[in-house]
Amino acid sequence: MTHDVRREARYRRIARDLEAKIRAGHYAPGEALPPQRELSSTYGVTLMTLRQALRELSDDGLIVQRPGRGTFVSPPQLAYQLGSLRSFADDLRDQGHDVRTTVVQRAVRRLPSRVARQLRARVTDTGLRLERVREFAGRRAIHQVSWVRPPHAQDLREVDFTAVSLYTSLADLGVAVAQASETIGPDVLGADVARHLDEPPGAPVLISERITYTGDGIAIVADRATILGSMMQITTQRAANGLSLHWAATG
């Protein structure tokens, strides 16, 4: 048996052993693995051999390597349901996650021109700006800014959005949401939002832009959500006369 074959056998054995420990819960989702030098010493191999084992686990989606920070067990992912009209918190809870919502800021302000166009409102109108952060699996993973058009902005100023969703609050006011248009695309995390999330600037993210409408076609909410790419996967059920997906080049 050649030296290269023996080394390959060692790194595959290490990968299988670490995989078994991860699946058994010895290393929990989101938890850091021991430093590479410690692992290489534990298994009695060189750093090169250990890194081959880690590369295999990374390719299988079991771990995430973050330069300068270490190696972490991949966190559980939110399966983002494209075909449903629900809040992020409802999606997360239905998938078994404990969700913590922090309200960063709320204020009634003049609508930015971009938001006014999205809501088909006047640029002189004021709306409720609601900024929230969603945390699940021990990580701040979603930053969301929602604008609610008048005349409902004032009615929502005192709602406890750490416990109640925006859609539920609107329903309590007699405003039923009926449909939404949404665009999701890749981006990198900017410094202004990074301070609210558990990734450094430049990390891959998904940006969701959603406009929610009432049954009579009035645009009521404009949302922009920044979602850590490592924490979400997009799923959908396809059927005849069902969900419509539109593909577009992003570059």
Side-chain angles (χ1 to χ4, degrees), residues 35-61:
Q36 290 186 10
R37 291 192 181 278
E38 182 179 330
L39 283 174
S40 65
S41 175
T42 298
Y43 286 107
V45 296
T46 64
L47 277 173
M48 180 183 296
T49 299
L50 175 73
R51 285 167 182 163
Q52 285 179 295
L54 296 179
R55 191 176 304 116
E56 186 162 296
L57 294 176
S58 179
D59 290 343
D60 289 340

Side-chain angles (χ1 to χ4, degrees), residues 9 17 27 62 70 79 86 91 108 177 190:
D17 185 65
Y27 298 117
L62 290 171
R86 298 189 302 179
D91 270 342
V108 175
V177 299

Side-chain angles (χ1 to χ4, degrees), residues 60-248:
D60 289 340
L62 290 171
I63 62 170
V64 178
Q65 294 180 289
R66 300 190 179 112
R69 298 180 61 190
T71 303
F72 298 81
V73 178
S74 294
Q77 290 186 311
L78 161 65
Y80 192 68
Q81 305 292 338
L82 284 177
S84 65
L85 180 55
R86 298 189 302 179
S87 69
F88 284 114
D90 287 340
D91 270 342
L92 287 161
R93 292 190 183 100
D94 282 356
Q95 292 170 44
H97 297 294
D98 291 327
V99 186
R100 179 170 178 263
T101 297
T102 300
V103 176
V104 178
Q105 188 181 68
R106 81 169 98 193
V108 175
R109 297 181 179 177
R110 179 174 292 183
L111 299 176
S113 57
R114 178 182 65 87
V115 173
R117 288 194 301 271
Q118 291 174 321
L119 295 178
R120 302 171 190 169
R122 300 183 301 251
V123 292
T124 55
D125 285 342
T126 57
L128 176 70
R129 183 186 184 276
L130 176 61
E131 183 178 5
R132 291 167 290 175
V133 171
R134 314 286 195 183
E135 178 182 327
F136 72 100
R139 300 189 69 203
R140 296 176 300 165
I142 302 172
H143 174 268
Q144 184 177 8
V145 175
S146 305
W147 284 89
V148 183
R149 70 171 298 147
H152 308 290
Q154 295 288 349
D155 298 326
L156 297 171
R157 292 189 66 175
E158 304 305 320
V159 173
D160 180 7
F161 286 109
T162 65
V164 182
S165 76
L166 178 54
Y167 283 176
T168 298
S169 301
L170 287 169
D172 290 342
L173 295 175
V175 181
V177 299
Q179 61 181 333
S181 61
E182 184 171 16
T183 301
I184 300 174
D187 207 337
V188 294
L189 187 56
D192 55 335
V193 177
R195 62 194 176 96
H196 299 296
L197 300 179
D198 289 328
E199 285 284 0
V205 295
L206 290 168
I207 303 295
S208 163
E209 295 268 7
R210 180 192 291 190
I211 311 298
T212 302
Y213 300 88
T214 61
D216 51 2
I218 296 175
I220 185 71
V221 180
D223 279 303
R224 179 180 172 88
T226 302
I227 309 160
L228 295 184
S230 61
M231 299 290 282
M232 190 183 87
Q233 61 185 0
I234 297 174
T235 65
T236 183
Q237 298 294 323
R238 297 173 183 265
N241 301 318
L243 178 67
S244 174
L245 296 176
H246 298 273
W247 301 84

